[in-house]
Amino acid sequence: MNLWCRLPDGEDVSIPMVWIAEVYTPATFQGLLNGVKRIEARTRGFKSNHDIYSWVTSARSRRGTYAGDLPSFHPPGYGSPVPWIEDSLPDGVEYITWRIFAPSPSITILVAGFALDSSRMREPVAILNSEHSTYVSPYSDSGFSIITPDNQKRRYVEEWRESVIRDATAWLQSRMPGTFSSLNKGLLPSMELILTANVTPWSDEANLDGPRRFGADPYTVLDIRRQPHWLQAGGRGLRLNETRHAFGRQGLRWHLRLGAKRSEYIGAAAAEESERNQLWRPLHRTDEELTPLLARWAMNALLAEFSRDLAALRDLAMETASHDSPGALNKLRDKLLQAGLHGQLVADEIAQSARSDTKEERHSFDEVPEFVYTYGGGREPSIEEELVENLRQARVAMGKDITQTEGRLRELLTTSAEITVAATNLRLQKRVFWLTAISAVVAVAAAIISLIALDVARNPPVETPPAGPNVVRLTDPPNPMPGLNGNVSRSPTSP
C-alpha cells in the first residue's frame, strides 16, 4: 500500500497558498482598529497615500471593499521600495496579503493570504512517499482497528493542513482578534489552493484503476479523487470543494479547497521564470477574485456558529427550567441578552446584506467568479446551482431563522422566569403566614407568662416553717450566748 499511495510518474502536487478570514462585529471591532494602528507604524518603503485606519473606521457607514491594494507583510530585511509591512511570519511563509471587506455597517471582514515557500508547499508529497507499516489499534472497551499505511497518510495530510491553518490563525489572532477568536471556535474559516501536474482535481481524470480504487491511492489520500464539485464558469480551470473529514476529525470545520491543473492555472507564463515568479501573477489574480468568496463563506460560517450556540442555549434553557430555579433562569436570560446582540444586530444585518447581494446590485469590487455545480462522469454542470447564489440564499434563511429563534427563546425564558418567580413568591407567602401565626402564639404565651410573673411578685405567699425541737420560734427569746453572766447554753438533750 505504500507503493500504491505514491504519486504516478510525472505527477506533482503543491499547495502554494492558503487564506483565512476573520469577522469583526461591534463587540470585536476595536481589535481590528488596534491592529491597524500597529500595522501602519511598521509600514516600510514609499508610504502609501491610503489611510487604512480612517477607511476602516468610516467603512461602517458604507458597503464595499477597501479601494486599493494593502501593503503585504514581509519578514525583516525584505528591502523593497514598494510599500510593505515589516513583521515576523509563520514558519514556511514567504509573504502575507490582506484585504478588508465591509458588507454592512456592523460587519467588517478581513481576509489574509499566506504564500508558502517551495519547501512547505510540497510537504504533502513527502507524506505520500513516506513508508509506514500496518498496525493494530485496540479500542478502549473491546475490539481493535487495523490502521493501514493509506489511512495513516490520510491522517498525516489532514494534520498538515490543520497545522498550516492553525499557524495562520494564531498569527492573525495575535494581531487583530475578532469574533471567531472571541467565540473560541478554533480554526478560522479558510481556503487553500492545490495544484497538480497531470490530473485535474475532482475530475474524471483523478480516478486510478486497479486495486487503488479501494482508497489506497494518492488522490484519495489528498482528497482530490473524482467526486461532485463546483466548476468555475468561463474556462479558467479552477474547481472548488469542501474538505471531508476522515476519522471523525473536525479541525477544519469551515475549509474550502480550490484545485486546478498547474499548466491551466499558470497559463502562458515564461518557462525560464522561477516557480515563484510563475505563480505570483496567478496567485495575485486569485487573491483579488476569490477573497470576496471567502468573505461570504465566513459570514455563512458565523451564522452557522450562532445557530449552534442558540441550539445549545435552548437545550440549557430546557434543563434549567426543569430545576425551577429563578436565579438560574435569570443567569440564562443574561446569556441570551448577550447572544441577542448577535441575533438581532449581526445576523439581521448579514441577512439584509445578502438580500442585496445579487448580480444586479453587487458592487464591481465585490464581484465573484461564478461556480456551477458538476457531478462529473460526463454530466454537464448545473447552471441552476450557482455557488455564490446558494451562499446568499443560505445567509438570508439562516439570518431570519436566528432572529426568530432568538426572539422566541427570549420570550420563553422571560415567561418561565416570571412563572417561577411567582411560584416562589407564593411559597414564600405561605411560609410567612405560618411564621406569623407561630409568632403570634409565642407572643400570647409570653404575655400570659409575664402576667403570672407580675401577679406573683405583687402577692408573695406566706411561708409556714415546720415544727420541731430544733426550730427556733419567733416568739421564744434567744438563747444566751455562752460565757455571758456565767450561763451556758445547753441542749435539751444534755444530761
Side-chain angles (χ1 to χ4, degrees):
M1 287 190 178
N2 283 299
L3 181 61
W4 292 346
C5 291
R6 292 179 179 271
L7 291 173
D9 294 339
E11 183 61 279
D12 186 31
V13 174
S14 61
I15 301 180
M17 198 162 188
V18 298
W19 294 263
I20 59 175
E22 177 62 287
V23 181
Y24 301 89
T25 62
T28 58
F29 185 61
Q30 191 61 40
L32 176 62
L33 295 181
N34 295 337
V36 169
K37 284 183 179 179
R38 292 189 294 266
I39 286 171
E40 287 189 328
R42 295 196 301 267
T43 303
R44 305 291 183 263
F46 293 112
K47 300 297 183 181
S48 173
N49 294 328
H50 300 299
D51 187 353
I52 305 174
Y53 184 86
S54 299
W55 184 91
V56 172
T57 54
S58 61
R60 295 284 181 166
S61 60
R62 63 181 187 273
R63 174 178 176 268
T65 311
Y66 180 78
D69 293 332
L70 297 173
S72 302
F73 292 85
H74 293 271
Y78 178 65
S80 172
V82 179
W84 58 284
I85 302 171
E86 181 178 351
D87 202 344
S88 59
L89 307 183
D91 294 337
V93 175
E94 284 192 351
Y95 63 89
I96 300 174
T97 62
W98 60 308
R99 296 177 184 274
I100 297 176
F101 301 84
S104 70
S106 297
I107 303 294
T108 304
I109 305 172
L110 187 152
V111 177
F114 295 74
L116 306 182
D117 59 30
S118 57
S119 175
R120 184 72 161 158
M121 74 171 66
R122 283 191 169 84
E123 288 183 359
V125 176
I127 297 176
L128 294 175
N129 296 332
S130 60
E131 296 288 334
H132 299 277
S133 301
T134 301
Y135 67 91
V136 176
S137 176
Y139 296 139
S140 58
D141 48 0
S142 62
F144 60 90
S145 176
I146 299 177
I147 309 300
T148 57
D150 59 305
N151 288 332
Q152 298 175 50
K153 293 181 181 182
R154 288 184 66 185
R155 184 175 71 250
Y156 295 149
V157 169
E158 288 189 15
E159 291 176 351
W160 179 86
R161 279 193 173 105
E162 290 181 16
S163 66
V164 173
I165 303 301
R166 186 179 298 108
D167 293 343
T169 297
W171 185 91
L172 183 60
Q173 289 179 342
S174 64
R175 289 158 176 78
M176 291 169 283
T179 302
F180 277 99
S181 303
S182 63
L183 294 176
N184 194 23
K185 294 300 182 180
L187 302 180
L188 298 178
S190 55
M191 181 174 65
E192 72 177 46
L193 171 65
I194 181 169
L195 301 177
T196 57
N198 298 330
V199 302
T200 303
W202 309 299
S203 68
D204 296 337
E205 301 172 357
N207 187 33
L208 297 177
D209 297 327
R212 296 182 177 185
R213 66 179 180 273
F214 296 106
D217 66 87
Y219 303 132
T220 301
V221 172
L222 295 172
D223 200 9
I224 59 174
R225 187 182 174 93
R226 182 182 65 186
Q227 58 182 279
H229 58 278
W230 298 92
L231 174 65
Q232 182 179 359
R236 297 290 295 274
L238 274 177
R239 299 168 186 257
L240 184 143
N241 217 329
E242 294 184 58
T243 295
R244 296 185 301 173
H245 304 287
F247 306 100
R249 300 174 62 86
Q250 295 294 328
L252 298 175
R253 297 177 58 183
W254 305 105
H255 187 66
L256 295 175
R257 288 174 296 134
L258 297 171
K261 188 182 295 185
R262 184 184 179 88
S263 58
E264 297 178 357
Y265 181 73
I266 294 177
E272 62 275 6
E273 290 185 354
S274 63
E275 181 180 41
R276 177 51 63 188
N277 290 337
Q278 290 179 1
L279 287 173
W280 184 85
R281 291 182 182 87
L283 285 179
H284 182 74
R285 182 184 61 200
T286 302
D287 191 70
E288 284 184 336
E289 293 180 350
L290 294 181
T291 48
L293 174 62
L294 182 57
R296 289 167 170 80
W297 178 255
M299 287 191 290
N300 285 66
L302 185 63
L303 291 179
E305 295 293 350
F306 288 165
S307 297
R308 292 187 180 187
D309 291 343
L310 281 178
L313 198 59
R314 183 169 57 247
D315 296 339
L316 182 61
M318 298 298 294
E319 180 181 356
T320 304
S322 63
H323 294 164
D324 198 22
S325 172
L329 283 174
N330 289 333
K331 291 181 180 179
L332 186 61
R333 188 172 56 182
D334 293 340
K335 291 183 179 180
L336 183 61
L337 289 174
Q338 184 178 2
L341 177 63
H342 293 147
Q344 296 295 336
L345 295 180
V346 178
D348 185 61
E349 281 202 10
I350 291 179
Q352 290 182 6
S353 65
R355 293 186 183 96
S356 61
D357 190 23
T358 60
K359 294 181 181 180
E360 294 75 15
E361 300 184 30
R362 194 175 299 157
H363 290 220
S364 60
F365 42 73
D366 280 345
E367 291 183 354
V368 182
E370 293 185 0
F371 283 85
V372 293
Y373 199 71
T374 175
Y375 295 89
R379 298 176 59 180
E380 292 295 328
S382 175
I383 303 299
E384 290 76 15
E385 298 185 62
E386 202 273 318
L387 177 60
V388 178
E389 178 62 21
N390 281 9
L391 293 178
R392 186 190 73 84
Q393 294 178 6
R395 288 198 301 276
V396 173
M398 285 191 295
K400 180 180 179 181
D401 181 68
I402 290 173
T403 304
Q404 294 178 351
T405 301
E406 189 272 338
R408 289 194 299 265
L409 188 57
R410 185 192 303 275
E411 294 176 358
L412 174 63
L413 287 179
T414 301
T415 304
S416 299
E418 292 175 353
I419 294 175
T420 304
V421 169
T424 303
N425 291 338
L426 183 60
R427 288 195 297 267
L428 290 177
Q429 290 177 2
K430 292 181 179 179
R431 293 176 183 176
V432 170
F433 170 78
W434 287 110
L435 289 175
T436 304
I438 294 173
S439 300
V441 172
V442 172
V444 171
I448 294 173
I449 294 173
S450 300
L451 291 175
I452 294 174
L454 182 61
D455 183 69
V456 171
R458 290 179 178 179
N459 303 301
V462 178
E463 296 183 359
T464 304
N470 296 328
V471 178
V472 179
R473 299 180 181 275
L474 296 177
T475 56
D476 296 340
N479 292 330
M481 297 297 293
L484 295 177
N485 299 324
N487 297 323
V488 179
S489 176
R490 300 183 186 274
S491 172
T493 58
S494 299

